[in-house]
Structures are given as structure tokens and as C-alpha cells.
Amino acid sequence: MSIAPTDSGTTKGVCDVCGNVYDKMIVVTRGGAVGTFDSFECAIHAMAPECEHCGCRVIGHGVEADGRIFCCANCARQTGETELTDRV
């Protein structure tokens, strides 16, 4: 975790995305990657996988086919995947 000194002599974390200095940091681990963030928004921006078709960040379950991640079955179908379905 990146740290920054404060006037009071304590340390606070520095967000890996926006650089905000904050005393209530979130540390997220995904696979072998570790990041320190001041908000879930920054964590999502940095670490959530992107949909193979539309490029949006997959912050829910998404769907996966042949190692490719999609935000939904519709995006998977747009790339030719026919076996995936969304949960109803």
C-alpha cells in the first residue's frame, strides 16, 4: 500500500487510481493482483474485468466462454457464442 505522511505524523493510504490520500483505504486482491483504493468505484475501474464485446466493467457475475468474459449472454451471442444464457 502506498502511504503518505500527514501533518499529525500519522500515515494514510494513497489510492492507486486517483491518488487521493485517505485513512480508510480498501485493499482488493484479484488473482495475483493487489490494489489499494479510496472507493469501490476506483477499485472497479482498476480491477474489474472488461466485457469482451462491449467493454463495460463486469461487476456482477457475468458469463464466461473459452476464457473470455462477457457482461451478459447477449454480448456473448454478439461474438458468436451460442451456448450461454443469462439467469432469469
Side-chain angles (χ1 to χ4, degrees):
M1 173 168 78
S2 301
I3 57 172
T6 64
D7 293 338
S8 65
T10 60
T11 57
K12 296 182 179 185
V14 179
C15 180
D16 293 344
V17 172
C18 69
N20 185 34
V21 177
Y22 191 55
D23 65 342
K24 296 173 183 70
M25 300 303 284
I26 301 165
V27 177
V28 177
T29 302
R30 179 176 171 243
V34 178
T36 304
F37 310 102
D38 69 338
S39 65
F40 287 114
E41 180 179 5
C42 284
I44 288 166
H45 177 76
M47 299 189 81
E50 290 184 17
C51 175
E52 182 91 9
H53 176 69
C54 72
C56 77
R57 295 292 180 171
V58 180
I59 58 173
H61 293 284
V63 294
E64 186 173 352
D66 298 321
R68 299 183 307 159
I69 297 174
F70 303 95
C71 63
C72 62
N74 181 60
C75 277
R77 282 192 296 276
Q78 299 298 316
T79 66
E81 293 294 335
T82 58
E83 300 298 317
L84 297 174
T85 58
D86 286 316
R87 294 180 66 177
V88 180

